[in-house]
Amino acid sequence: MKNIFLLFGCLFIYLFSFSQPAPKPYGALPSARQLKWHETEVYGLIHFTPTTFENKEWGYGDADPNIFNPSMFDAEKIISALKAGGLKGVILVSKHHDGFALWPTKTTNYNISQSPFRNGKGDLVKEIEQACRKLGMKFGVYCSPWDRNNPRYGTSAYVEDYRNQLKELYSNYGELFMSWHDGANGGDGYYGGQRTTKKIDRSTYYGWDTTWAITRKMQPNANIFSDVGWDVRWVGNERGFAAETSWATFTPVPVQGESKTVPGQLDDKQNPFGTRNGANWVPAECDVPLRKGWFYHPEDKDKVKSPAQLFDLYLKSVGRGAALDLGIAPNTNGLLAEEDIASLAAFGKLVNESFKKNLAENASVSSNETRGKAFSTLLMKDGNPNTYWASSDKDLTPSIEFSWKENITFDLIRLREFIPLGQRVESFEVDVFENDQWKKIAEATSIGACRILYLNTPVSAKKIRIKVNASPVCVTFSEIGFYKKADL
Ligand code: FUL
Ligand code: CA
């Protein structure tokens, strides 16, 4: 009799373990295009125009196209160096504020065909794009709306020029992963010889809704970046890091007196943090130049960020659910300086080696309760971002225990929520079992696509617990890993 009860009991538990459906999504959710973007994590932003040859940061728009003569330019060499740095994509500044187009556009004469580059037959956008395709890197463009060369700037005719420039970039260079738009507008410029200051009304002039409808139509997989979104938001500084609590959801805050937020005109105090339960999924991008400025300056030779500095920025951007967008500045030869190449390669190696071995792989994993077999604890360490563990609907503060036969030594903890179901966890801690009790070694808030915690001193333990302390709904984890930072 007892055995029959046991048998039925087991059968019931077995069947029940299959019966729980997937958790319901929570809050604003990422689009398929944003999910792809999240995988990119680290990418580059190349600035290379006549401004490089003038040794300036902002070209006035009056540089003679003849100065653009990078005689050793080699797109594949540049993109290979970025690849060695672990970058997975590249955005090319195809036109900066100086207005010089790096492709033979029909919209303005102020373009690469007027320069000695490839005897006026060149297309630098194409060369970078092709190198990216060949080396398996994603490609995107930044076309500055502010144009200090174009005499039509300030009129509606220029807005048409700008949209036509985007249409050319959207038609001739394959699929783009990002369309990057900045909000800078300093006013003064050459403007075809007018040498004047042109003020525009940021809230109406560019007509972003119309422009971005073109982006959506022609490049549906391109993530639109600007300080307000739509897909990816600026993090609010150009130093390469997000706030310690940084939500992927966001409700942009208009500047005082305005009802709507438009690029270049928002109260950006909220950008580093995002908005808990915000209106849309708009994760942050942390942009920062590898050297001191966005453009190459020979005098900044010793201001290239070291691999250790880059690793720190990586932890504070990618490790806070955002992306790291590194400014890359080719020199007047059309190549990256040796010191840039060396720093990128060492950074790439440091990240790679540090996250190569997930110590959780040979751990036993258990949780205080479970949602059933379909959401097994093993799915948190299978290396597959599409499989996940979930707690049951009633458990908003689950604990997950990892245990090993021998001590493991680690100083990096990486967690990923299953973000197709939204950003759920509000706070959690990491505990180790020591002298017969749990001891807290770290705690944090937002997780989302990725959260990395770095312990300044490595810890050795046989049992580690991830304890969720607050969540409005049941919890999902697609991956949890423990690592030891490489000593390089
Ligand atoms: C800013 C620009 O003003 C800088 O020159 C640079 O291009 C940076 C990435 O975006 O808005
Ligand atoms: Ca998984």
Side-chain angles (χ1 to χ4, degrees):
M1 197 58 186
K2 214 167 138 198
N3 281 350
I4 289 189
F5 273 124
L6 198 67
L7 194 71
F8 274 106
C10 287
L11 192 68
F12 180 76
I13 291 169
Y14 181 74
L15 290 175
F16 186 73
S17 69
F18 278 108
S19 65
Q20 294 193 52
K24 285 200 186 69
Y26 176 74
L29 302 176
S31 63
R33 153 190 341 113
Q34 289 170 316
L35 288 172
K36 284 269 167 226
W37 174 87
H38 274 292
E39 289 169 13
T40 319
E41 296 194 332
V42 188
Y43 47 86
L45 181 58
I46 300 180
H47 284 73
F48 183 52
T49 76
T51 307
T52 308
F53 296 77
E54 294 182 294
N55 196 14
K56 286 183 182 171
E57 275 290 299
W58 275 9
Y60 187 71
D62 62 346
D64 184 339
N66 276 311
I67 65 171
F68 190 76
N69 190 13
S71 53
M72 291 158 79
F73 178 78
D74 187 330
E76 262 182 64
K77 272 196 186 152
I78 295 173
I79 305 302
S80 303
L82 303 190
K83 194 170 174 168
L87 281 68
K88 298 203 196 97
V90 169
I91 299 162
L92 175 65
V93 179
S94 306
K95 185 193 85 171
H96 198 239
H97 309 327
D98 66 323
F100 184 84
L102 292 176
W103 76 103
T105 173
K106 294 195 179 77
T107 61
T108 170
N109 284 334
Y110 199 52
N111 72 57
I112 199 149
S113 68
Q114 306 295 309
S115 81
F117 180 70
R118 313 271 185 252
N119 295 318
K121 303 255 178 319
D123 181 345
L124 204 132
V125 180
K126 191 89 228 160
E127 290 193 29
I128 293 280
E129 186 246 336
Q130 290 293 297
C132 287
R133 305 287 174 214
K134 185 164 169 194
L135 294 166
M137 304 271 272
K138 299 181 188 183
F139 180 67
V141 294
Y142 160 10
C143 188
S144 166
W146 183 28
D147 186 320
R148 304 175 93 184
N149 176 269
N150 198 314
R152 286 139 71 100
Y153 186 79
T155 68
S156 56
Y158 168 75
V159 178
E160 274 316 298
D161 290 345
Y162 180 63
R163 289 186 185 144
N164 287 332
Q165 290 173 357
L166 291 176
K167 285 180 190 165
E168 291 177 358
L169 292 168
Y170 294 162
S171 327
N172 299 324
Y173 303 94
E175 182 175 293
L176 306 176
F177 87 109
M178 286 193 89
S179 190
W180 210 97
H181 305 266
D182 80 305
N185 185 320
D188 66 326
Y190 178 67
Y191 303 122
Q194 296 165 17
R195 294 186 182 277
T196 182
T197 295
K198 294 196 182 187
K199 290 258 180 279
I200 48 107
D201 177 355
R202 285 172 200 246
S203 50
T204 54
Y205 179 58
Y206 293 116
W208 286 111
D209 290 355
T210 309
T211 302
W212 288 341
I214 300 171
T215 316
R216 283 286 190 256
K217 186 153 174 253
M218 297 183 71
Q219 287 285 345
N221 295 324
N223 285 274
I224 296 173
F225 167 95
S226 85
D227 48 7
V228 301
W230 288 348
D231 297 305
V232 177
R233 73 178 194 266
W234 181 49
V235 78
N237 66 65
E238 288 188 349
R239 284 172 292 148
F241 54 85
E244 205 167 319
T245 296
S246 185
W247 305 105
T249 52
F250 185 52
T251 307
V253 184
V255 280
Q256 235 186 347
E258 294 286 332
S259 57
K260 210 181 148 194
T261 50
V262 291
Q265 197 177 48
L266 88 161
D267 181 348
D268 58 23
K269 280 197 293 295
Q270 199 59 36
N271 283 44
F273 307 95
T275 319
R276 180 56 176 153
N277 301 319
N280 295 298
W281 187 275
V282 196
E285 178 203 280
C286 308
D287 61 337
V288 61
L290 173 61
R291 302 172 72 95
K292 189 170 161 230
W294 294 104
F295 282 89
Y296 178 83
H297 307 291
E299 64 273 22
D300 294 342
K301 190 175 164 53
D302 52 5
K303 305 240 169 67
V304 180
K305 291 186 178 63
S306 67
Q309 281 174 306
L310 293 172
F311 191 79
D312 183 52
L313 292 178
Y314 175 86
L315 297 177
K316 292 174 175 158
S317 55
V318 175
R320 292 175 178 174
L324 179 61
D325 183 7
L326 264 185
I328 302 296
N331 59 24
T332 50
N333 289 327
L335 296 169
L336 296 186
E338 285 306 320
E339 54 273 18
D340 298 34
I341 297 173
S343 192
L344 284 168
F347 165 58
K349 197 162 168 215
L350 185 55
V351 173
N352 216 5
E353 299 277 311
S354 297
F355 291 97
K356 200 146 105 191
K357 173 105 191 89
N358 181 359
L359 298 165
E361 262 164 31
N362 62 355
S364 310
V365 198
S366 62
S367 56
N368 56 329
E369 60 88 81
T370 181
R371 204 178 177 91
K373 273 228 168 79
F375 305 97
S376 147
T377 50
L378 297 177
L379 301 174
M380 282 182 283
K381 54 161 200 153
D382 66 353
N384 180 351
N386 300 317
T387 57
Y388 63 98
W389 169 87
S391 69
S392 73
D393 286 339
K394 63 178 194 313
D395 192 2
L396 313 184
T397 52
S399 286
I400 303 144
E401 241 178 77
F402 294 80
S403 53
W404 291 262
K405 291 206 180 74
E406 306 288 332
N407 267 347
I408 63 140
T409 301
F410 68 105
D411 52 11
L412 289 163
I413 306 143
R414 185 169 68 189
L415 304 99
R416 299 184 189 276
E417 286 182 85
F418 184 66
I419 54 171
L421 295 177
Q423 184 158 23
R424 309 166 78 94
V425 173
E426 254 159 36
S427 69
F428 68 99
E429 65 181 71
V430 185
D431 307 328
V432 294
F433 202 63
E434 218 179 75
N435 302 328
D436 286 333
Q437 54 185 358
W438 289 107
K439 182 181 132 197
K440 180 158 81 181
I441 55 163
E443 62 188 323
T445 51
S446 51
I447 302 176
C450 178
R451 179 76 191 217
I452 305 172
L453 302 179
Y454 177 56
L455 313 169
N456 285 320
T457 320
V459 169
S460 296
K462 261 193 213 166
K463 255 203 236 181
I464 309 175
R465 177 171 77 175
I466 303 290
K467 192 165 155 268
V468 174
N469 288 328
S471 173
V473 282
C474 71
V475 169
T476 72
F477 281 116
S478 69
E479 287 294 301
I480 295 181
F482 304 93
Y483 307 84
K484 174 73 192 60
K485 186 181 171 195
D487 295 312
L488 296 177

